[in-house]
Amino acid sequence: MKETFSADEIQILLVSLRFSSEKHRNQRRKDPEASPYINHPIQVGETIWRVGKIYDITTVMAGLLHDTVEDTQTTLEEIEEHFGLEVANVVKEVTDDKSLPAAERKRLQIEHAPHISPRAKWVKLSDKICNIADITHNPPKTWSLNRQIAYLDWTEQVVKGLRGCSVELEAYYDQVLKEGRHLLKIREKN
Ligand code: ZN
């Protein structure tokens, strides 16, 4: 993968970050401080680039935009219009069908994981890494410990289907999961 990028590539990356920040502007994360939602897509984009060393602008843009269609009013047509079909397709692959019940969406993520594109796998794996780190270091205020443990277990099922996409991201996921379980175990005892 190339490691130098044109002004146009950096520009479209920044435009996608701005677009995502505008779309998520009224949302907050579920942590006790109710952090701005945009922190999460930024973490996902940064994980893809820094940890995964995936120097692919399309993937990082999809990482920055990955929750816009699922969690805001944004449509895939809008993503395509602003950022092209390649980015829109990756976002589509990582977007759950919100008309389905939560348990069914979770089951489908496990089922679909092995069949999505490499770009979608990198985004999905980075998303799971960031969510585990958030949940274990800064648990959502309304989540019981059991729900936190169940979330970690579920990500393991999804990630099983993503393996083989990135040595770096998989090793980091394993580390974050291990640390997360350790933290939750300590919390369980207290
Ligand atoms: Zn996400």
Side-chain angles (χ1 to χ4, degrees):
M1 253 180 262
K2 66 172 187 171
E3 294 189 23
T4 49
F5 296 90
S6 67
D8 281 350
E9 286 170 314
I10 307 289
Q11 179 165 312
I12 194 70
L13 192 67
L14 291 169
V15 172
S16 65
L17 178 56
R18 177 185 164 175
F19 179 94
S20 187
S21 72
E22 285 170 359
K23 292 296 187 177
H24 289 295
R25 70 186 180 279
N26 294 323
Q27 286 177 293
R28 296 289 176 273
R29 296 292 281 171
K30 294 172 186 157
D31 61 288
E33 286 182 21
S35 314
Y37 195 91
I38 191 65
N39 291 6
H40 166 67
I42 293 172
Q43 284 162 6
V44 170
E46 193 249 3
T47 300
I48 292 166
W49 190 276
R50 180 182 57 82
V51 180
K53 299 183 169 50
I54 292 149
Y55 305 131
D56 175 62
I57 299 287
T58 300
T59 305
V60 180
M61 286 169 66
L64 295 174
L65 296 163
H66 79 276
D67 278 332
T68 54
V69 176
E70 192 172 303
D71 291 336
T72 77
Q73 300 296 323
T74 312
T75 63
L76 283 168
E77 291 70 32
E78 245 181 298
I79 302 279
E80 184 181 343
E81 183 192 317
H82 288 268
F83 306 111
L85 186 60
E86 273 192 325
V87 173
N89 279 339
V90 182
V91 173
K92 185 181 176 186
E93 286 185 282
V94 299
T95 297
D96 283 356
D97 180 352
K98 278 232 166 154
S99 68
L100 299 171
E104 177 66 358
R105 296 200 318 251
K106 290 206 131 130
R107 193 188 65 75
L108 284 174
Q109 281 208 31
I110 298 170
E111 198 178 294
H112 291 162
H115 311 295
I116 60 178
S117 68
R119 281 172 168 152
K121 285 183 179 177
W122 294 326
V123 173
K124 197 171 259 301
L125 184 48
S126 301
D127 186 35
K128 296 292 178 272
I129 289 169
C130 295
N131 283 339
I132 290 179
D134 279 353
I135 284 167
T136 55
H137 289 279
N138 236 338
K141 354 174 237 228
T142 58
W143 282 33
S144 67
L145 192 59
N146 277 341
R147 185 168 175 192
Q148 296 167 32
I149 293 167
Y151 184 88
L152 266 53
D153 292 347
W154 168 72
T155 68
E156 215 175 11
Q157 298 293 305
V158 178
V159 170
K160 206 181 275 172
L162 302 173
R163 295 217 181 248
C165 73
S166 159
V167 174
E168 289 85 357
L169 287 175
E170 287 162 48
Y172 191 58
Y173 168 82
D174 292 337
Q175 185 193 325
V176 169
L177 179 70
K178 195 175 160 198
E179 282 168 12
R181 286 203 165 124
H182 180 70
L183 278 172
L184 295 189
K185 215 158 252 154
I186 293 170
R187 228 166 275 153
E188 210 169 15
K189 284 180 195 149
N190 295 327

